[in-house]
Amino acid sequence: MSATQFSAVHRSYVKSLYRRMLKNELDWVVRRDIWRGRAQLIRAEFERNRNIHEPRALAQIFEKAEAQLAKRLHPDPYIPPTMPGGTKWERNVQPTIAPIYDHLSAGHH
């Protein structure tokens, strides 16, 4: 079975799982130099399973990876300050450019 036979959904799922695992590690380890070592271990795990094409074996690997991720999820994940849910989200909202009172649409009298 060639790599081209996997669907786009499969590829996007694997990418999503990889990204979620990296982000979760970054939630636990703030220092990038330490996180980089852990990121390389995660990448090595994905590379080790890269040539597995049997659907049942892949399902077991995915189930194990999802369970491992769920077990290790950070209780208070990092949210960038300016993103929704961050500490500065909509703190100083820019005023609208439109006039506060539209004199043209209200009529003159």
Side-chain angles (χ1 to χ4, degrees):
M1 181 181 286
S2 70
T4 58
Q5 291 180 344
F6 285 108
S7 68
V9 174
H10 173 80
R11 278 192 202 91
S12 67
Y13 174 74
V14 171
K15 289 178 186 178
S16 169
L17 179 61
Y18 179 67
R19 190 161 191 260
R20 287 183 290 144
M21 291 183 97
L22 288 178
K23 169 127 179 29
N24 187 55
E25 281 301 317
L26 193 55
D27 288 342
W28 284 103
V29 180
V30 177
R31 288 183 47 191
R32 289 283 176 142
D33 57 335
I34 297 172
W35 172 80
R36 180 67 180 141
R38 293 187 183 184
Q40 288 174 334
L41 291 174
I42 292 170
R43 178 63 183 210
E45 182 72 25
F46 274 78
E47 287 294 329
R48 191 175 319 120
N49 297 320
R50 182 179 198 140
N51 295 322
I52 297 175
H53 301 294
E54 184 184 336
R56 288 187 180 147
L58 284 172
Q60 289 177 344
I61 291 168
F62 292 151
E63 186 176 320
K64 179 183 170 189
E66 289 285 353
Q68 181 183 7
L69 181 61
K71 179 181 168 188
R72 188 145 165 77
L73 273 179
H74 196 281
D76 189 19
Y78 176 74
I79 300 172
T82 56
M83 296 304 289
T87 57
K88 291 184 177 181
W89 174 247
E90 293 187 345
R91 182 176 288 177
N92 295 319
V93 179
Q94 295 291 327
T96 61
I97 296 180
I100 295 172
Y101 180 76
D102 192 2
H103 298 281
L104 297 176
S105 66
H108 292 287
H109 299 355

